Structures are given as structure tokens and as C-alpha cells.
Amino acid sequence: MSNRTLLVYKIIFGSVIIGGTIFLSFKYLLKGSPFIKVMALGLIIAVIYLVFNFIKKTSKN
């Protein structure tokens, strides 16, 4: 496969991972203690950062 096709697949897979993380942590954002809400937001931010960092690092090669 070409590099462009691999990049598109990585972006699609990354968006599925980010969407799944938001979907699974959404129920904790609506109910629970404030500590759990902050942890859920931290999880979402960490996953988004790690996915973008991985895609950026692998696309430079």
C-alpha cells in the first residue's frame, strides 16, 4: 500500500478510537462525583493527544 493509503487508514482508526473513548466515558461525565468527571475528561484528552502524536510520528517517515 502507498503511504497515503496507510495514513488514511491510521486517521480512520484513530478517529474510531477517539470516538469510542468519548462514547464510553460520556456516562461518567453525566453522573458521578466531580473527581470522576475530571478523570473522564483527562482520559479523553490523553487519548486524543496520544492518537495525534502517534499519527504525526508515523507519518513523518
Side-chain angles (χ1 to χ4, degrees), residues 8-23:
V8 169
Y9 282 135
K10 287 177 186 176
I11 291 173
I12 291 171
F13 186 64
S15 65
V16 168
I17 290 174
I18 291 171
T21 304
I22 292 172
F23 177 75

Side-chain angles (χ1 to χ4, degrees), residues 20-42:
T21 304
I22 292 172
F23 177 75
L24 290 176
S25 65
F26 191 73
K27 70 176 185 175
Y28 296 111
L29 288 173
L30 293 179
K31 54 185 171 183
S33 66
F35 178 73
I36 299 297
K37 291 179 182 180
V38 170
M39 292 297 287
L41 285 175

Side-chain angles (χ1 to χ4, degrees), residues 34-57:
F35 178 73
I36 299 297
K37 291 179 182 180
V38 170
M39 292 297 287
L41 285 175
L43 173 71
I44 292 171
I45 291 169
V47 167
I48 290 172
Y49 171 75
L50 290 173
V51 167
F52 282 152
N53 192 21
F54 175 75
I55 291 173
K56 187 172 68 171
K57 187 179 1 175

